[in-house]
Amino acid sequence: MRIFALLAAFLAAMAMSTPTFADGHLKIVDEPLELTVHMHHKRYPAYDENWPVEQEARRLTNIHLKNATIGSNTTNSGEAMNLLLASGSIPDIVGTSRIKDVVNQYGPQGAFMPLNDLIDEHAPHITAFFEKFPDIKSAMTAADGNIYYIPYLPDGKYGRAYFIRHDWLDKLGLEVPQSVDEVKSVLEAFRDQDPNGNGQQDEVPYFARQWEELIRLVTLWDGRSSGSDTYHDFYVDNGTIRHPYAGEGYREGIKNLAQWYAEGLIDPEVFTRGSSAREYLLSENLGGMTHDWFASTSGYNTTLQGKIDGFVFKAFAPPASISGARIEEHRRIPVKPDGWAIGGANSHPVETIKYFDFWFSPEGRNVVNFGVEGVHWEMQDGKAIFTDVILGSGRPVNSQLYEIGAQLHARGYYQDYGYEIQWSNSYALEGIALYDEGDYLIDQFLGVAFNEEEQAVYDKHWTSVRTYMLERQQVWILGGGDVEAEWDDYLADLDKMGLNKVLEAMQSAYNRQYGS
Ligand code: CA
């Protein structure tokens, strides 16, 4: 029922009818207009004019993007950007991962065009988006009040969730844990009672592909591990910028996680096992619980149920913390620092912003999310539904979409979660429905744009503060120190190293950007 309700709500939202226009209504210019583009991302270090999505956009708008990417021989977009800036010649359009800091720094100097007036006058779909999501507009705005890029805007709220071996719970006669104490009891049972049935105490009760997902568990003691989808990020507490690793809940959480680690409830190799941890520990029938992405983690039910008898690895609701709070700290961020901008020397800014706006129109949004109508998808009841060309190939859907030039994060566009729900399995949909019902997500910190003075404070202090925090964190978890005994000294060290100056700079930027 839950799955059905989620799907029904989703389909209803999707079904808002699109008005029909005479063919050609999306044409921006009568004669084809060529615009040069630098597009660089680790997945595609150049713009491919043969991408079906580019060809379709040409047909619909008459704007032709011509590849002018510099640095295509490196997969490092930052390096490519440095080469581009050093060349002194900026193409009409520049799209790359992490473009936000680049344009906010070089836009005010003239390398990129301010977009505010162009958007107001020529981009009705982008304007409508901003009206719907004013915080996103604030997040995109530079310290001088201008907007210099159109971002990649992810859709869908849910990212990671708590997952546990339901078949192991059943086997040991245990319920899904509802609180931090129950989680501990379950992990102890996984450690001691041989749920994989091989006669050895070889189970790894809690594991994580990213060791930061161990630190995430401090939320069970009312601590925080990050304020955004970036690890170790600042967070906003009622309008005040704080850092998670200076909070009392964090201290309490680290103290307990060190205990769990010492007791063998955490993967002893959690800091070193790396990204293959999930694949290895699940397929070897060893891993009990983790915190990871809905869709990809649910996918192990499809791949392992034929290999491991009874295997069921399902999402469960965030356990209640020591104060009774159930939160899911991770969610998709609604605006990324990736996207595209208009070069300062572009002689067709109006056509270019109209082109940017095309991707936010209902038709353009379908092209950028799903590919070419009639080939990669078909319209059914007002919704774009993938054809067998995409769904029938057995290959990961996102990879196929990148290959045709869809879902490129170096292009400014608004993602449509419909693209993902069509290939999420029933376990993922059930888990998302569970999280939706409980409303466990919390607000996110969308980042700030520093002025020069704030940037200087941040650059001077932040790296060393962060390095010191992470060093202490790992030492405490591994039992090389006592977080409670050392806490006051730790806070004094952070202050000496400049944490409070960084927090002041962040606060001043935050107040300017979002209103104090
Ligand atoms: Ca065993």
Side-chain angles (χ1 to χ4, degrees):
M1 273 313 283
R2 282 180 193 147
I3 297 169
F4 177 76
L6 181 81
L7 266 175
F10 168 76
L11 295 177
M14 291 284 298
M16 293 184 305
S17 62
T18 306
T20 30
F21 297 92
D23 198 25
H25 73 282
L26 297 166
K27 287 238 183 324
I28 293 166
V29 284
D30 291 332
E31 295 301 317
L33 173 66
E34 293 187 347
L35 297 173
T36 54
V37 62
H38 167 101
M39 185 169 281
H40 200 290
H41 188 284
K42 61 182 180 213
R43 290 193 202 104
Y44 39 90
Y47 192 85
D48 185 343
E49 293 165 29
N50 294 315
W51 276 326
V53 166
E54 160 66 16
Q55 293 297 321
E56 182 71 350
R58 288 182 179 191
R59 186 180 74 79
L60 293 169
T61 67
N62 248 347
I63 303 276
H64 296 200
L65 296 200
K66 305 297 286 181
N67 180 46
T69 306
I70 290 187
S72 292
N73 54 349
T74 170
T75 54
N76 182 326
S77 296
E79 265 175 42
M81 179 55 66
N82 288 337
L83 292 171
L84 176 72
L85 292 167
S87 79
S89 161
I90 309 287
D92 295 320
I93 296 174
V94 176
T96 184
S97 46
R98 305 206 67 81
I99 196 171
K100 178 182 170 179
D101 292 342
V102 176
V103 294
N104 286 354
Q105 184 176 357
Y106 296 101
Q109 299 171 24
F112 300 96
M113 223 171 258
L115 306 180
N116 307 47
D117 292 346
L118 286 168
I119 291 171
D120 285 349
E121 288 161 30
H122 306 287
H125 298 104
I126 295 175
T127 301
F129 180 89
F130 285 165
E131 280 168 4
K132 203 169 161 199
F133 303 105
D135 268 7
I136 291 182
K137 187 179 183 187
S138 300
M140 291 162 52
T141 303
D144 67 359
N146 286 321
I147 287 171
Y148 291 102
Y149 81 114
I150 301 296
Y152 156 49
L153 300 150
D155 190 26
K157 294 188 287 187
Y158 298 98
R160 292 175 184 268
Y162 291 91
F163 276 82
I164 198 159
R165 282 289 295 269
H166 276 241
D167 56 323
W168 285 9
L169 292 174
D170 290 346
K171 197 167 179 181
L172 302 180
L174 299 167
E175 299 291 321
V176 173
Q178 300 297 327
S179 67
V180 57
D181 289 340
E182 290 181 15
V183 169
K184 184 161 195 257
S185 302
V186 162
L187 295 178
E188 287 166 352
F190 285 177
R191 179 192 62 193
D192 299 336
Q193 297 179 30
D194 191 25
N196 68 5
N198 66 353
Q200 298 169 33
Q201 285 195 359
D202 55 351
E203 287 79 0
V204 178
Y206 183 85
F207 66 94
R209 276 192 298 163
Q210 290 86 9
W211 58 264
E212 291 89 342
E213 296 302 331
L214 167 61
I215 309 305
R216 183 85 71 192
L217 299 183
V218 301
T219 55
L220 299 177
W221 288 271
D222 296 329
R224 292 293 302 272
S225 77
S226 180
S228 75
D229 71 338
T230 302
Y231 288 125
H232 324 303
D233 202 358
F234 297 81
Y235 73 105
V236 187
D237 178 15
N238 286 318
T240 301
I241 302 276
R242 301 188 194 281
H243 197 279
Y245 300 161
E248 285 183 18
Y250 170 76
R251 182 194 65 196
E252 193 62 21
I254 293 293
K255 183 180 83 180
N256 281 277
L257 291 174
Q259 186 67 32
W260 287 21
Y261 186 85
E263 292 175 14
L265 304 181
I266 309 286
D267 181 5
E269 295 177 45
V270 68
F271 288 107
T272 50
R273 200 185 293 272
S275 61
S276 63
R278 183 180 63 174
E279 171 76 24
Y280 172 73
L281 292 170
L282 289 180
S283 54
E284 293 295 315
N285 201 12
L286 294 171
M289 172 181 164
T290 195
H291 188 255
D292 210 321
W293 287 82
F294 269 112
S296 62
T297 312
S298 298
Y300 283 93
N301 292 293
T302 310
T303 52
L304 293 178
Q305 279 176 351
K307 295 176 186 151
I308 298 172
D309 196 31
F311 181 94
V312 176
F313 198 52
K314 281 207 300 191
F316 68 107
S321 74
I322 50 170
S323 73
R326 289 176 179 265
I327 65 158
E328 172 49 64
E329 187 182 47
H330 183 263
R331 65 191 296 177
R332 294 181 193 216
I333 200 153
V335 53
K336 295 294 277 186
D338 316 331
W340 59 12
I342 302 184
N346 181 318
S347 53
H348 299 281
V350 171
E351 290 85 351
T352 308
I353 200 74
K354 285 182 174 174
Y355 181 72
F356 283 7
D357 196 56
F358 157 75
W359 297 105
F360 283 73
S361 71
E363 297 86 347
R365 204 172 163 215
N366 279 337
V367 176
V368 72
N369 275 285
F370 301 95
V372 179
E373 184 173 12
V375 180
H376 308 109
W377 58 277
E378 274 160 4
M379 196 68 101
Q380 291 177 23
D381 301 327
K383 299 169 292 286
I385 302 295
F386 285 124
T387 61
D388 270 358
V389 170
I390 297 290
L391 293 181
S393 77
R395 298 181 50 229
V397 172
N398 354 24
S399 308
Q400 294 183 68
L401 292 171
Y402 302 142
E403 284 164 19
I404 61 169
Q407 297 278 356
L408 303 185
H409 302 170
R411 180 192 280 130
Y413 79 101
Y414 181 23
Q415 193 176 51
D416 182 337
Y417 187 57
Y419 105 94
E420 192 170 319
I421 208 160
Q422 292 180 41
W423 46 275
S424 297
N425 75 12
S426 64
Y427 290 94
L429 296 177
E430 185 189 335
I432 289 170
L434 177 69
Y435 275 54
D436 213 40
E437 193 176 75
D439 197 18
Y440 304 116
L441 298 182
I442 54 176
D443 285 342
Q444 270 181 311
F445 175 45
L446 298 181
V448 293
F450 290 127
N451 64 26
E452 271 181 51
E453 201 180 323
E454 293 152 359
Q455 186 73 50
V457 171
Y458 181 87
D459 290 346
K460 183 172 174 193
H461 301 291
W462 178 239
T463 306
S464 53
V465 171
R466 185 178 180 278
T467 303
Y468 179 67
M469 284 172 159
L470 297 185
E471 263 174 32
R472 297 313 305 159
Q473 184 177 78
Q474 190 166 338
V475 167
W476 286 328
I477 295 280
L478 297 178
D482 178 337
V483 62
E484 207 148 51
E486 295 166 27
W487 187 254
D488 290 344
D489 289 343
Y490 167 72
L491 288 186
D493 286 343
L494 292 179
D495 185 42
K496 256 184 269 167
M497 296 174 82
L499 172 63
N500 291 314
K501 288 179 189 147
V502 172
L503 287 169
E504 276 172 35
M506 303 267 322
Q507 189 73 49
S508 115
Y510 180 83
N511 292 348
R512 177 177 59 244
Q513 209 158 344
Y514 299 94
S516 51

